[in-house]
Amino acid sequence: NWAGLSRPGSLRGHNSMKKSVAAIALLGLSACAKPYVGTPYTAPAAPVTSVAIVDDTLPEDAVAYEAASTMGNFGLIGGLIDAGVQASRRDRVNEALDSVNHTPEANFESYLVSALAQSGIAAVMLAGPDREKRELLSDYPGAPQGTQALVDFNVTAYGYVNAGNQNWRPTVSADIKMVDALTGKTLMENRIVYNGVDAQAGVVTIAANPAYVFENREDMITQPERLAAGIDDALRRVADTAVRLMR
């Protein structure tokens, strides 16, 4: 069997600032960047009707990132203040989601299994250790007998983003890979971005649903049920898009 990877747990507070600084790397896909090159689906000899989905599909916390923040333009001190503001906003948003017992990973995996079933593909979750990093795995745990393919779905970031003097909208950035369970051959690999900061050539992009728009942080944290619903709607759309790429 292939061995999985492990991911150490993270804590809010001290780590929030670091995560806020890194958020732009996950969500700000510059139009000037080198085009992303995916691998279109290559059907094996026998149609895929049974897959296993590798666990640990989502990061622990949602992001709440303002892409064009004023303080970030004032050098190191401004950048540190900006990171603190971003981290504080992130924490408040996650606290609001916790208050309504939001379970984004379980929800997303349910959407993915359901979307696959609608396409005639039976799917099971493959239990295993957590990811060490938010990256596609290089090795995979063994799949149940009869499984034709493994689906490695790595959501690198999810939550809300303000693209600069605009309203807050849900966002998701994810990489997906499908491999033959017996040979390890890549059958498909793609990147999907729901409401990214900038469009990147080669990436499958999804426009934000106008039903989930918030004016500011207070608007978000005072409507936790709607806040969670916006994330779930984005995750469902990403799952549906991913399954369409598996054909």
Side-chain angles (χ1 to χ4, degrees), residues 85-173:
V85 171
Q86 301 273 17
S88 173
R89 182 190 299 114
R90 174 195 176 101
D91 287 348
R92 293 293 301 279
V93 164
N94 279 284
E95 288 166 5
L97 294 169
D98 288 345
S99 74
V100 292
N101 298 315
H102 187 223
T103 55
E105 183 168 17
N107 295 350
F108 173 69
E109 291 170 354
S110 174
Y111 303 149
L112 191 54
V113 170
S114 176
L116 285 163
Q118 290 176 22
S119 292
I121 303 173
V124 296
M125 293 306 305
L126 188 60
D130 290 343
R131 298 173 194 273
E132 183 176 345
K133 298 179 180 179
R134 294 316 306 180
E135 297 175 351
L136 292 172
L137 302 180
S138 56
D139 297 300
Y140 296 95
Q145 188 171 1
T147 300
Q148 294 168 278
L150 294 171
V151 176
D152 184 3
F153 212 120
N154 175 39
V155 174
T156 53
Y158 72 94
Y160 282 81
V161 66
N162 181 328
N165 299 319
Q166 299 178 22
N167 292 326
W168 291 83
R169 294 175 172 84
T171 186
V172 178
S173 177

Side-chain angles (χ1 to χ4, degrees), residues 21 26 41 48 52 59 61 68-69 74 88 99 109 129 144 146 152 162 169 172 177 203 210 243-244:
V21 172
L26 300 173
Y41 179 65
V48 174
D61 292 334
S69 185
F74 291 91
S88 173
S99 74
E109 291 170 354
D152 184 3
N162 181 328
R169 294 175 172 84
V172 178
K177 185 175 183 179
V203 171
V243 172
R244 287 197 292 271

